[in-house]
Amino acid sequence: MTEDLQTGIIRISDDVVATIAGLAALETPGIAAMSGGISEGLAKRLSGKNAQKGVSVEVGQLEAAIDLRIIVHYGIPIQEVCRQLQLNVRESVENMTGLQVVEVNVKVEGVAFKEEEPDEPQQRLK
């Protein structure tokens, strides 16, 4: 995005939009991780500093299109998670950048199973 003002030009990098979208995605309930893509071998689970992984953006003067590759938690309705993901990403990018998000495309590349927690000692009732 480039905005020409009387005081100068404001440019928002594609990487900034990708980071905002990635962080919004990771904050969405039901999203286990972002995916680095099947083409890189096994799907890599990424978070935090690597929030741009699994995110592709096309940014124009006033609009942005966003593609996300995600891994969802097992047992949660995928379509509901993805709808909420689309809303969260759209809202975050539009609020922080002023760009109009024309589309948020989601590709589910995997399902994460909950890791079994170690058995805790059970207290016996007397």
Side-chain angles (χ1 to χ4, degrees):
M1 175 186 141
T2 303
E3 190 172 327
D4 197 2
L5 303 173
Q6 293 178 355
T7 57
I9 295 174
I10 298 173
R11 290 190 179 122
I12 299 176
S13 165
D14 291 6
D15 288 344
V16 170
V17 175
T19 299
I20 293 167
L23 291 173
L26 290 171
E27 292 174 354
T28 302
I31 303 298
M34 302 302 291
S35 174
I38 301 300
S39 62
E40 294 180 20
L42 297 175
K44 295 179 183 176
R45 294 182 183 190
L46 305 164
S47 62
K49 296 178 185 176
N50 294 317
Q52 291 181 18
K53 299 293 183 186
V55 181
S56 300
V57 299
E58 291 181 31
V59 180
Q61 292 288 348
L62 302 173
E63 299 176 334
I66 301 166
D67 296 322
L68 303 169
R69 294 180 314 274
I70 62 167
I71 298 171
V72 298
H73 287 293
Y74 176 78
I76 298 175
I78 293 173
Q79 70 280 10
E80 291 176 20
V81 170
C82 291
R83 294 273 184 254
Q84 188 61 50
L85 171 63
Q86 290 172 317
L87 292 172
N88 290 352
V89 169
R90 178 183 307 274
E91 183 177 292
S92 293
V93 171
E94 287 182 348
N95 288 341
M96 293 186 72
T97 66
L99 292 167
Q100 179 184 0
V101 177
V102 293
E103 62 184 22
V104 178
N105 301 308
V106 179
K107 182 177 182 185
V108 179
E109 292 191 340
V111 176
F113 299 94
K114 291 183 182 179
E115 294 181 17
E116 292 183 21
E117 297 177 11
D119 292 333
E120 294 180 15
Q122 295 182 2
Q123 295 178 350
R124 294 185 182 192
L125 298 174
K126 291 185 179 183

